[in-house]
């Protein structure tokens, strides 16, 4: 067996996300290798008591606040950590705050003053990230196809960056405290983008598609939204100034109420992309999609 102890404020010997013991058999290979490298196996024999000692050391701490540029605190959001994985890419690092709160988030919540505190952190280099989010509105009425829109998310990093490469790195030694880290959300530099997705053949709005915003230089995804099923319109409420690629994917037309009832699309469309430079509010963006041949539509249906 492996025996691991976790206590809030103390560093875990595992530099990986926590795992439910019942899920060990299904755990990825790299997680099992990390367990084997960090923990000493404990052998249990019949009719014998087995003892083992576990030493926990106080972990490092990162604390601070999340505020808008006018000083207003951003309460009830989540601040999470990123740490480089074995491939050198910034990946989310699970902290104990989410574990002990029995929540699905991997970071710490902000209080009514926008303050946060992340504890039990092993030494290393980290990024701080919060998310500006808008909860979706879902309509459930008999006979009406629910819009079922996704939550809108825009990540903001410590150091006023909008992606890991722009963020400020926090270096921690064993047991060190890094306080006063403020993530500022500059709403004045965030702009809305809106437009409509149309069929190139008929000029009418398409009723189902994902609209994605990617960074122009490395094609990394910034955020994703969906079009309105009645008007074909889309909107990104918050977008930082910069150069992007606007992509439309998985576009199709469904009969009224058809998607929620599992019906197949009556037409599918080719993906599309176009450059976009954001310096201010942008409205009236029109994206026309080319219909796929009927045979291609049938093939898409089979793949779905």
């Amino acid at each position: 067996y492996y025996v691991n102890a976790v206590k809030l404020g103390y560093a875990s010997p595992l530099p990986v996300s926590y795992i439910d013991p019942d899920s060990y058999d299904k755990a990825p290979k790299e997680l099992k290798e990390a367990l084997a490298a960090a923990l000493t196996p404990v052998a249990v024999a019949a009719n014998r008591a087995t003892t083992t000692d576990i030493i926990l050391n106080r972990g490092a701490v990162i604390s601070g606040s999340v505020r808008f540029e006018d000083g207003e605190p951003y309460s009830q959001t989540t601040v999470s950590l990123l740490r480089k994985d074995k491939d050198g890419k910034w990946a989310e690092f699970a902290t104990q705050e989410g574990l002990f709160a029995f929540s699905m988030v991997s970071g710490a919540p902000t209080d009514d003053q926008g303050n946060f505190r992340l504890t039990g952190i092993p030494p290393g280099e980290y990024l701080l990230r919060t998310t500006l989010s808008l909860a979706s509105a879902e309509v459930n009425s008999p006979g009406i196809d629910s819009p079922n829109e996704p939550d809108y998310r825009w990540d903001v990093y410590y150091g006023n960056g909008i992606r890991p490469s722009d963020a400020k790195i926090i270096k921690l030694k064993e047991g060190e405290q890094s306080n006063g880290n403020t993530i500022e959300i500059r709403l004045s530099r965030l702009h809305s983008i809106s437009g409509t997705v149309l069929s190139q053949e008929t000029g009418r709005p398409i009723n189902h598609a994902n609209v994605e915003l990617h960074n122009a230089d490395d094609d990394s995804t910034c955020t994703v939204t969906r079009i309105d099923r009645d008007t074909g319109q889309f909107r990104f409420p918050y977008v930082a100034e910069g150069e992007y690629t606007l992509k439309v994917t998985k576009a199709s037309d469904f009969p009224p109420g058809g998607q929620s009832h599992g019906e197949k699309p009556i037409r599918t469309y080719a993906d599309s992309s176009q450059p976009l430079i954001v310096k201010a509010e942008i409205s009236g963006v029109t994206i026309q999609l080319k219909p796929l041949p009927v045979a291609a539509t049938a093939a898409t249906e089979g793949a779905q």
Side-chain angles (χ1 to χ4, degrees):
Y1 297 88
Y2 292 120
V3 181
N4 184 37
V6 180
K7 182 175 176 62
L8 191 63
Y10 289 81
S12 169
L14 300 177
V16 293
S17 300
Y18 299 98
I19 182 173
D20 183 347
D22 295 333
S23 305
Y24 177 80
D25 291 337
K26 299 178 182 179
K29 179 181 177 181
E30 57 268 22
L31 181 53
K32 293 183 178 180
E33 291 175 348
L35 283 166
L39 302 178
T40 301
V42 177
V44 178
N47 301 317
R48 291 186 180 182
T50 302
T51 62
T52 185
D53 294 327
I54 299 175
I55 299 176
L56 295 178
N57 297 313
R58 272 284 180 184
V61 175
I62 299 179
S63 65
S65 62
V66 182
R67 301 186 178 279
F68 296 100
E69 58 193 328
D70 62 355
E72 182 72 16
Y74 188 11
S75 61
Q76 293 183 301
T77 188
T78 299
V79 177
S80 55
L81 287 179
L82 281 79
R83 183 176 179 174
K84 285 187 177 180
D85 60 18
K86 63 178 182 178
D87 298 323
K89 296 180 179 180
W90 291 103
E92 197 165 58
F93 182 84
T95 61
Q96 297 175 3
E97 282 71 21
L99 176 71
F100 281 92
F102 299 99
S103 63
M104 297 301 292
V105 300
S106 60
T110 57
D111 62 17
D112 64 310
Q113 296 298 313
N115 298 318
F116 68 88
R117 180 179 169 87
L118 294 157
T119 65
I121 306 170
E125 296 185 347
Y126 297 90
L127 300 183
L128 273 177
R129 179 184 67 191
T130 191
T131 301
L132 187 62
S133 61
L134 294 175
S136 63
E138 185 172 340
V139 178
N140 292 307
S141 301
I144 297 179
D145 189 13
S146 168
N148 199 23
E149 297 295 338
D151 292 345
Y152 182 80
R153 299 170 57 86
W154 187 266
D155 291 335
V156 181
Y157 292 85
Y158 171 64
N160 301 323
I162 60 170
R163 52 184 175 174
S165 60
D166 302 325
K168 183 178 180 180
I169 296 175
I170 298 177
K171 298 180 180 180
L172 294 175
K173 298 178 181 178
E174 186 172 351
E176 182 181 6
Q177 292 205 22
S178 177
N179 303 319
N181 301 289
T182 301
I183 302 177
E184 185 180 72
I185 301 176
R186 301 180 178 180
L187 290 180
S188 63
R189 297 187 181 181
L190 299 177
H191 310 292
S192 66
I193 300 172
S194 61
T196 309
V197 180
L198 305 174
S199 168
Q200 189 181 84
E201 183 179 57
T202 65
R204 297 177 61 84
I206 295 171
N207 64 23
H208 175 79
N210 288 343
V211 185
E212 306 171 3
L213 203 61
H214 294 242
N215 287 304
D217 55 356
D218 60 5
D219 201 39
S220 57
T221 304
C222 297
T223 190
V224 179
T225 189
R226 294 181 188 149
I227 61 174
D228 184 274
R229 297 177 185 178
D230 296 323
T231 64
Q233 295 179 337
F234 66 89
R235 182 172 181 265
F236 295 103
Y238 302 112
V239 176
E241 297 175 0
E243 297 184 9
Y244 302 92
T245 301
L246 188 65
K247 298 184 178 183
V248 181
T249 63
K250 300 180 180 179
S252 55
D253 280 323
F254 283 86
Q259 188 180 7
S260 61
H261 293 88
E263 294 187 22
K264 297 179 179 179
I266 57 179
R267 201 67 190 266
T268 59
Y269 297 84
D271 294 347
S272 174
S273 64
Q274 63 185 59
L276 187 69
I277 299 176
V278 178
K279 295 181 179 179
E281 308 289 313
I282 300 176
S283 60
V285 177
T286 300
I287 303 173
Q288 294 188 336
L289 300 184
K290 182 179 180 180
L292 291 173
V294 176
T297 298
T300 303
E301 294 171 4
Q304 292 176 344

